[in-house]
Amino acid sequence: MKVAVITGASRGIGRACAERLAADGYAVVINYSRSESQALEVLRSILDNGGTGMLCRADVSDLKAVQNMIRKVMNTYGQIDVLVNNAGIVRDEYLFMLNEETLNRCMDINVKGYFYCAQQAALKMFRKKEGLIINMSSVSAGTAIAGQSVYSATKGAVNSMTRTMAKELAPYGIRVNAVAPGFIKTEMIDSIPDEKRDEYLNSIPLGRFGTAEDVANMVSMLCSDSCSYMTGQTIVLDGGLSL
Ligand code: NAP
């Protein structure tokens, strides 16, 4: 059975990816950092639907915690086939108001966390000469949204690391791609004030926010054999927002 590690899988996009990959036949590792009860709920729903999985608490911005997580996965399943680097935070702050804590936390989770997980998973994948890393980016990397300079910078970094990691890891049979969602209906979007949310909705040509399942479908497709020749790409999934 193939094994997929999904970071930040206790809710939102990560949860949908875990449920979808479990339905596709993967044993899934549900990572989270704080939301234990939500993560348990995800595991229960997967098991109830006949899937296989385990929980793994680890703050992705802590290298030692990531190393422990990967060790635990290897002890349990003996392999890692897919890593979905998804755990991320958004902190909207205008430049004039930006504080150091916000800057550091976003960089630590959205950038360093992606490096730590990719590195530790790739070290295991490379033995099999096979593997797939999918980085969750954002349309914000290329579409300017006032107040999101830090968030967009972290997602720009995700797109750049995707390309370079893809080139470095291709000789070892490891592919690296990214998905860049637009506005997806999760708690992240729910936290936006109503007025602003309506403004965002009006800017989407398809006239609706995406769903976590829309993103999970794309992740599932990237995991399928039909995408086996694709690496280093960032797939935009935004209802036309960036057009
Ligand atoms: P969300 O609902 O806020 O969920 C975030 C997940 O990440 C939670 O499971 C959370 O678990 C986990 N997490 C946060 N910090 C962590 C850490 N340090 N270590 C491990 N896990 C951590 O977010 P979402 O909307 O699903 O977004 C998921 C990803 O998609 C993010 O990378 C985000 O940037 C990207 N994205 C989202 C949208 C959108 O519109 N929603 C659009 C484009 C891109 P805990 O509570 O346990 O920490």
Side-chain angles (χ1 to χ4, degrees), residues 16 22 57-58 63-64 74 88 97 121 134-135 149 174 192 207 227:
R57 179 178 209 146
L63 177 58
K64 282 210 166 58
M74 292 304 286
M97 317 289 274
I134 298 173
N135 293 323
S149 59
I174 303 168
I192 301 171
C227 289

Side-chain angles (χ1 to χ4, degrees), residues 8 10-11 13 33-35 59-60 86 137 151 155 182 184 186:
S10 58
R11 60 175 181 271
I13 292 171
S33 68
R34 288 168 308 165
S35 309
D59 179 340
V60 295
N86 166 79
S137 177
Y151 182 70
K155 294 304 185 179
I184 305 298
T186 65

